[in-house]
Amino acid sequence: MLVGLVLLGVASLATAFVTTAEQLIAIRAAMGVAAAMTTPGSLALAFRLFDEDGLRVRATTLISTVGLVGLGIGPTVGGFVLAFAPWQVLLLVNVPIAALAFIGIRRGIPADKADELHRDPIDGAGALLGTATIVLALVAPTLFVHAGTASPLPWLTTAAAVAMAVLFVVCERSARYPLLDLKLVARPLVSSGLAFKAAAGLATAGLGYLVTLQLQLDWGWTPAEAAMGMLPQIVVLIAGGALIGPLVMRVGLDKAAWLSAGAVVCGLAVYGLLGRFGYVWVAIALVLVAAGMRVVGVVAGTNVMRGLPANRTTVGAADTASEVTTAIGIAVSGTILAALFTGDLATSSWSTYQTTEFREAVTWAGLALTVLAAALVGWGITRR
């Protein structure tokens, strides 16, 4: 975690010197590595420090509150900041946060015990195959849009993604020290919790992406006004933490998980079917998805950790399912928009035909996200 925080601070600071898109991509890649090094540790430490489910839920609620508030206020604060400051400020803010976290961990958390550490080798082959699978799968839809179905490139990319996925599974099943132990993932508590968290990540990213474009490009809102339009989501993310404990006490962890995941799917359905007819429907969708995300992030995450051996909790805390489906949510939405909208999406003025195209694309994208999230939730309920 300490090394990851240093990398996060340095990469964020380097944003001040960015002059090209390629440099920004490289910095964002470094920040992704830093996030992968730091994110699992907070939740894993909570499970190492507390043994009782009630305390773990409280700790997880606090951790998720910080994360979700950041996720929720990011677009809002970002919209206001961009009205008077350069975009680099949005990443430079990570520097003091990383420094504060470094000091807190260094001084406030006991050092690891030597007898609890291991020397298992890193599964480099699994890491490369898993990353290649995800990257190729996300690139393939874009290639179908840009190169067309007549081009062999998107088909070859799709075939390569499938091949990498098969090789990844074979590698993980045969590796002595796998990156992702598929036997652990197959445990009912683990697989159901991951499915619920994946649905929430898909919905939050996809909905946020679509709503931001809709408010600014279609309805003509300024960045600051669009930021205000996301406030219902922020209010629910912040206030919803107080409801998690009573809900879990009333219905239990398992029922709370699938109820909240169901709310996420309902929010997506509202947006896909009615979001184009006015902001009220957009606000309702934001509230439902935020409420579901607020609960599922805690209860499903707790279930995943409960289902793992004590010495493998960091694996469950990595939150890869949410990260991957976050990328999928944006990729699916962006691909559908690119496929159905003709011309330059970011142009200052659209024709009537382009406006119709955009609204139809938003509807189809919202419904596609609904189907994907519903499939994940259904799978989670079945596994449980």
Side-chain angles (χ1 to χ4, degrees):
M1 288 184 71
L2 293 176
V3 174
L5 287 169
V6 171
L7 177 59
L8 176 65
V10 172
S12 301
L13 186 61
T15 306
F17 307 99
V18 165
T19 57
T20 67
E22 290 76 15
Q23 292 173 353
L24 177 60
I25 291 172
I27 287 175
R28 293 292 286 164
M31 293 175 69
V33 174
M37 296 174 70
T38 55
T39 301
S42 56
L43 191 57
L45 281 174
F47 268 68
R48 194 170 74 179
L49 294 171
F50 305 109
D51 296 324
E52 193 265 319
D53 278 347
L55 291 175
R56 286 176 170 178
V57 168
R58 288 172 60 188
T60 307
T61 300
L62 181 58
I63 292 170
S64 68
T65 297
V66 175
L68 290 174
V69 167
L71 178 68
I73 70 173
T76 303
V77 174
F80 285 116
V81 169
L82 290 177
F84 59 85
W87 61 266
Q88 287 89 341
V89 174
L90 302 181
L91 297 181
L92 287 172
V93 71
N94 289 327
V95 177
I97 294 174
L100 180 62
F102 185 97
I103 295 171
I105 293 171
R106 184 76 175 179
R107 300 188 60 180
I109 295 180
D112 297 302
K113 298 177 182 178
D115 58 351
E116 292 182 350
L117 302 177
H118 65 77
R119 292 294 181 265
D120 296 351
I122 296 174
D123 179 16
L128 290 174
L129 290 170
T131 303
T133 299
I134 295 169
V135 171
L136 290 170
L138 293 176
V139 168
T142 301
L143 294 178
F144 274 110
V145 173
H146 286 284
T149 56
S151 172
L153 183 59
W155 296 105
L156 290 174
T157 304
T158 302
V162 173
M164 291 297 104
V166 171
L167 289 175
F168 175 75
V169 172
V170 171
C171 177
E172 299 310 282
R173 289 174 65 90
S174 59
R176 184 178 180 184
Y177 301 103
L179 174 76
L180 183 64
D181 192 335
L182 300 179
K183 294 179 181 178
L184 295 180
V185 176
R187 294 187 175 197
L189 268 179
V190 177
S191 57
S192 63
L194 290 177
F196 293 145
K197 287 175 70 65
L202 177 86
T204 304
L207 183 64
Y209 176 73
L210 291 173
V211 169
T212 300
L213 293 181
Q214 180 183 29
L215 295 181
Q216 297 187 61
L217 301 183
D218 185 13
W219 294 354
W221 294 23
T222 65
E225 290 170 340
M228 293 293 292
M230 302 296 287
L231 280 178
Q233 183 183 57
I234 299 170
V235 171
V236 173
L237 288 176
I238 296 175
L243 304 177
I244 295 176
L247 178 64
V248 171
M249 291 295 294
R250 179 178 293 272
V251 303
L253 279 170
D254 298 331
K255 193 173 183 180
W258 66 259
L259 282 174
S260 55
V264 169
V265 175
C266 290
L268 286 175
V270 168
Y271 181 74
L273 295 172
L274 303 170
R276 63 192 296 181
F277 297 114
Y279 176 72
V280 171
W281 299 110
V282 172
I284 292 173
L286 289 172
V287 167
L288 285 172
V289 170
M293 176 71 174
R294 190 66 185 87
V295 179
V296 80
V298 173
V299 297
T302 301
N303 276 343
V304 170
M305 303 291 275
R306 287 169 60 209
L308 290 169
N311 64 345
R312 286 293 182 267
T313 52
T314 306
V315 175
D319 208 21
T320 307
S322 297
E323 296 292 345
V324 171
T325 51
T326 292
I328 291 174
I330 296 174
V332 168
S333 304
T335 300
I336 292 175
L337 285 174
L340 299 182
F341 187 89
T342 57
D344 184 5
L345 187 67
T347 188
S348 58
S349 59
W350 294 346
S351 66
T352 303
Y353 182 72
Q354 286 177 314
T355 300
T356 301
E357 284 182 327
F358 178 84
R359 292 174 181 175
E360 290 179 352
V362 166
T363 297
W364 284 112
L367 293 177
L369 293 175
T370 303
V371 171
L372 290 174
L376 287 168
V377 172
W379 168 255
I381 293 174
T382 302
R383 286 296 300 156
R384 187 65 192 96

